[in-house]
Amino acid sequence: MLIRKLFKFENAHIVRDCSTQRCSENIHGHSYKVEVLLESNYLDNGQMVYDFGLTKLYIKELIDSFDHGITLWNGDDSAYIEAMKVHSARWIELPVSPSAEQFSRVIYLMVERVLECTKMCNGEKEVKLHSIIVHETDTGYAQGFEKDAHSELMGKIALEEIIFSEQVKSEWRDPALWKKLLDRQLLQIPSKV
C-alpha cells in the first residue's frame, strides 16, 4: 500500500548553468509542494501504513527548514554564498545545485534517514520511502526515487555536507536533530503526537 503526505514551503534560490537566463542569473523563489510517498505491505496497530501524525514530527521539521529561506549550492561563487548568509538568517547550503530534481534527491535522503532512525512504536513494519515529488510550480515537478537519491551520476549527496543555519536549527523542537540524524541516533516518538 502507498500513502502520501503533502508539505509546503516558500524558498529562494539560483540554479546556475541552467538554460534559462532568468533562472541561472537571478535569485528567485517558488511556492514548493513536496509529496512524501511511503509504502508497506503491512498495517500497524491502528490499521495504517504510518500514522500521518508522525510525519508532523521530524519529517515536517526538516522540510519546513527550507521555508522562508534561501537554498545555496556550496559550488557557487563563495562571495555570493557569504553575502547571502550575511543578509539572510534562514539558509541551507547543499552539495548540489537547488533544482527541483536535486531537491527531490536531498529530501529523499533526509526522509530516508529519519525513517531509519525512528523507533517504530505502534506495530509499523517495513515502512519504506517510495519516492519524493517536488512541485516547483503548478505545472512542473520532479520525482525522485531511491536509485536517484543515491546516484553518483547525478552528483553525490553526502548528508554531512548539508548545512542548516543557526536560526533554522534553533527553530527545531530539538536543535541537535540534524547531528542526531548524522550520527544515526534513534529518534523517540512521544507517546501522544
Side-chain angles (χ1 to χ4, degrees):
M1 179 162 297
L2 195 62
I3 63 170
R4 165 196 169 268
K5 181 69 175 168
L6 178 68
F7 301 93
K8 298 177 181 182
F9 65 87
E10 307 292 327
N11 190 268
H13 68 169
I14 291 180
V15 181
R16 300 291 187 196
D17 302 323
C18 69
S19 302
T20 311
Q21 188 174 13
R22 279 186 179 183
C23 183
S24 67
E25 295 179 6
N26 299 286
I27 298 170
H28 61 284
H30 298 282
S31 296
Y32 288 92
K33 293 178 186 166
V34 176
E35 296 180 56
V36 176
L37 290 91
L38 302 174
E39 65 181 329
S40 179
N41 293 320
Y42 302 93
L43 299 178
D44 67 10
N45 296 337
Q47 299 184 19
M48 299 181 231
V49 167
Y50 192 78
D51 190 323
F52 286 132
L54 297 178
T55 65
K56 293 178 184 175
L57 295 172
Y58 309 112
I59 293 172
K60 183 178 187 327
E61 274 198 336
L62 288 173
I63 293 173
D64 279 350
S65 298
F66 292 94
D67 191 45
H68 284 78
I70 186 163
T71 303
L72 306 164
W73 170 39
N74 68 8
D76 208 327
D77 179 76
S78 60
Y80 163 73
I81 293 171
E82 290 312 310
M84 292 301 101
K85 289 179 179 180
V86 166
H87 296 286
S88 179
R90 290 186 57 78
W91 52 264
I92 298 172
E93 189 174 312
L94 303 178
V96 291
S97 185
S99 64
E101 292 83 350
Q102 295 290 28
F103 265 132
S104 74
R105 296 177 67 226
V106 165
I107 294 171
Y108 188 102
L109 292 170
M110 290 169 39
V111 172
E112 179 182 59
R113 182 60 62 90
V114 167
L115 290 174
E116 287 171 5
C117 293
T118 300
K119 182 180 182 215
M120 301 298 179
C121 63
N122 196 35
E124 301 90 348
K125 289 192 335 190
E126 298 179 23
V127 177
K128 291 183 163 187
L129 180 55
H130 174 271
S131 61
I132 297 289
I133 300 174
V134 174
H135 298 261
E136 192 171 78
T137 65
D138 286 340
T139 59
Y141 71 82
Q143 184 168 8
F145 298 88
E146 181 180 22
K147 65 180 171 32
D148 303 317
H150 295 280
S151 171
E152 293 204 22
L153 295 174
M154 294 184 192
K156 184 171 176 6
I157 299 174
L159 289 177
E160 296 76 19
E161 292 184 62
I162 298 172
I163 303 169
F164 297 91
S165 72
E166 290 304 316
Q167 182 176 4
V168 168
K169 292 188 287 189
S170 73
E171 293 174 4
W172 294 336
R173 202 168 306 141
D174 178 357
L177 173 61
W178 191 240
K179 181 173 179 357
K180 289 178 179 178
L181 288 170
L182 293 178
D183 294 343
R184 296 181 186 270
Q185 292 181 22
L186 270 182
L187 301 175
Q188 295 298 318
I189 296 174
S191 57
K192 292 290 178 190
V193 181

